[in-house]
Amino acid sequence: MMDDYTLPFWIYLCVLTVFVGGAMKMILASHLSTASTLVAWLGATVLVERLWAFCLPAMLLLVLLGLTCCFYNATRSAPLPTTLPAHGKAVFITGCDSGFGNATAKRLDAMGFEVFATVLDLSGDGARELQRTCSPRLTLLQVDITQPQQIQQALLDTRTKLGLKGLWGLVNNAGRCVNIGDAELSLMSNFRGCMEVNFFGTLSVTKCFLPLLRQAKGRIVTISSPAGDHPFPCLAAYGASKAALNLFINTLRHELEPWGVQVSIILPSAFKTGHPSNYAYWEQQHKQLLQNLSPALLEDYGEDYVTETKDLFHSHASQANPDLSPVVDAIIHALLAPQPQARYFAGPGVGLMYFIQTYCPFSVSNRFLQKMFMKKKLTPYALRKQSGFNLNLSLHNNNNNNNGEKLM
């Protein structure tokens, strides 16, 4: 019976096997619940049974997939390879005033790293907390990564303290998100501000510290965002800056491989960090937006539409996960694993999001993004007005038609 199958059939079979294996790997890595995983397994089994009806019985296929799952889980749950020692290794972290940077600086210091932590304000709460809780090994540096002179000074200070030793790790954490509306409503200053911090600032820091990293054959770990790979509504400025950052980091990974420098990117889900969790922050951004919008544009969209967007952003930020440990754990693994991953999904839902984008039709992934993030109830005022006008016109025409029928 095996002779009845042609070469194209076996090629097709191999391609399908790779597809199903990759899909199941993504499912298992997507932090799904047991019930959701079971449904995904059953769905995949039914699909493959239909396609492979002439090759493998469904039960045998299920057994093979089960064995693959057991093997993958055993591999995933097995102890990680012996990590590299933290003692004697120096790490430079940007954006340590709060959030991921602050938490990472404290954890790395406790592990024995020599930490260089940058903050925007040396007298701020975040800087004082690091001084109070960390060891004398930690060095605080006041750096705005959009200012090249401050980056150069930080490089000189770091090089002076390291002496002949290179820099083991660079954690690009500093970032900015000031988007609170549709792309047409977003101020140009928001687009430029996001690009200056998230892309150009990170680019400047990375280029400046690369000689020290190449010397130590060290690691570059960059905190990015799924918004750089997915077109989230109302995040055009932030997403565009992260998309540029993602491409730069992925290119850098290939270029630095001959130098022995490992490059990783962290893609977190929604976490409660910094100003975005503060209601006053969103009120300030909302007020600034209304003051700078042209009257015509504000009339087309409606102030209630803009206000709803602001409220949705604040609600999304307030419901974010306050436990930052998934991101910190991913950073530590990227710094100390003998073979770090190129990409880390940190937090629940991120793996599922990338799975849907990779394996589902565009219409499904597009609808998923719209329903998952900004669940808007209002449409722009001009569209509502137009819809109401069309409705009135339709009713008027129906009344005229009815009157005409009565006259006849």
Side-chain angles (χ1 to χ4, degrees), residues 217 251-263 339:
K217 297 184 184 298
T251 303
L252 203 60
R253 181 183 304 113
H254 297 293
E255 295 175 348
L256 294 180
E257 186 177 356
W259 294 93
V261 177
Q262 304 270 12
V263 179
Q339 293 297 326

Side-chain angles (χ1 to χ4, degrees), residues 154-192:
L155 175 63
L156 291 175
D157 295 340
T158 303
R159 194 194 298 271
T160 299
K161 192 160 186 179
L162 289 177
L164 298 177
K165 184 174 64 173
L167 181 68
W168 173 255
L170 168 63
V171 179
N172 288 314
N173 167 72
R176 184 185 187 194
C177 179
V178 291
N179 240 120
I180 60 167
D182 300 49
E184 188 179 9
L185 297 176
S186 299
L187 307 177
M188 285 304 297
S189 60
N190 288 355
F191 282 91
R192 293 191 178 97

Side-chain angles (χ1 to χ4, degrees), residues 63-348:
V63 171
L64 290 175
L65 288 175
L67 291 174
T68 304
C69 177
C70 293
F71 175 76
Y72 178 77
N73 282 335
T75 304
R76 188 177 62 165
S77 60
L80 291 173
T82 304
T83 58
L84 303 173
H87 181 72
K89 289 183 170 59
V91 177
F92 187 93
I93 311 172
T94 63
C96 296
D97 297 88
S98 62
F100 301 137
N102 190 276
T104 302
K106 288 187 285 189
R107 180 88 76 85
L108 294 184
D109 177 76
M111 293 175 65
F113 279 95
E114 182 178 359
V115 177
F116 295 86
T118 75
V119 293
L120 283 173
D121 184 4
L122 284 174
S123 60
D125 294 338
R128 289 201 300 267
E129 182 185 4
L130 290 176
Q131 287 177 323
R132 185 177 66 255
T133 60
C134 294
S135 72
R137 287 190 309 274
L138 184 135
T139 302
L140 278 175
L141 300 168
Q142 184 165 326
V143 179
D144 179 346
I145 66 170
T146 66
Q147 302 300 318
Q149 301 88 346
Q150 295 186 24
I151 297 174
Q152 287 292 337
Q153 185 59 52
L155 175 63
L156 291 175
D157 295 340
T158 303
R159 194 194 298 271
T160 299
K161 192 160 186 179
L162 289 177
L164 298 177
K165 184 174 64 173
L167 181 68
W168 173 255
L170 168 63
V171 179
N172 288 314
N173 167 72
R176 184 185 187 194
C177 179
V178 291
N179 240 120
I180 60 167
D182 300 49
E184 188 179 9
L185 297 176
S186 299
L187 307 177
M188 285 304 297
S189 60
N190 288 355
F191 282 91
R192 293 191 178 97
C194 285
M195 288 298 291
E196 282 296 329
V197 177
N198 300 338
F199 178 65
F200 288 113
T202 302
L203 171 63
S204 297
V205 171
T206 304
K207 284 175 63 68
C208 282
F209 282 84
L210 265 177
L212 292 178
L213 291 161
R214 288 191 287 104
Q215 179 184 340
K217 297 184 184 298
R219 308 285 173 86
I220 298 175
V221 184
T222 301
I223 313 299
S224 186
S225 169
D229 295 319
H230 301 80
F232 285 104
C234 299
L235 278 181
Y238 179 70
S241 66
K242 289 296 187 178
L245 177 63
N246 289 351
L247 184 60
F248 166 66
I249 294 299
N250 289 330
T251 303
L252 203 60
R253 181 183 304 113
H254 297 293
E255 295 175 348
L256 294 180
E257 186 177 356
W259 294 93
V261 177
Q262 304 270 12
V263 179
S264 299
I265 193 166
I266 313 289
L267 299 163
S269 59
F271 288 92
K272 190 172 293 187
T273 61
H275 296 300
S277 60
N278 187 344
Y279 183 74
Y281 169 83
W282 295 110
E283 284 295 322
Q284 179 187 0
Q285 296 296 323
H286 176 62
K287 182 179 179 181
Q288 181 183 2
L289 178 62
L290 291 178
Q291 289 175 345
N292 287 275
L293 283 179
S294 67
L297 198 55
L298 184 58
E299 181 180 355
D300 281 345
Y301 278 87
E303 187 172 341
D304 57 347
Y305 179 88
V306 179
T307 301
E308 183 196 39
T309 305
K310 179 262 298 182
D311 291 337
L312 287 172
F313 265 100
H314 174 254
S315 175
H316 183 76
S318 62
Q319 295 172 9
N321 188 0
D323 179 15
L324 308 183
S325 59
V327 176
V328 178
D329 291 341
I331 293 172
I332 293 171
H333 188 272
L335 288 172
L336 292 180
Q339 293 297 326
Q341 301 173 26
R343 186 170 64 174
Y344 290 85
F345 297 149

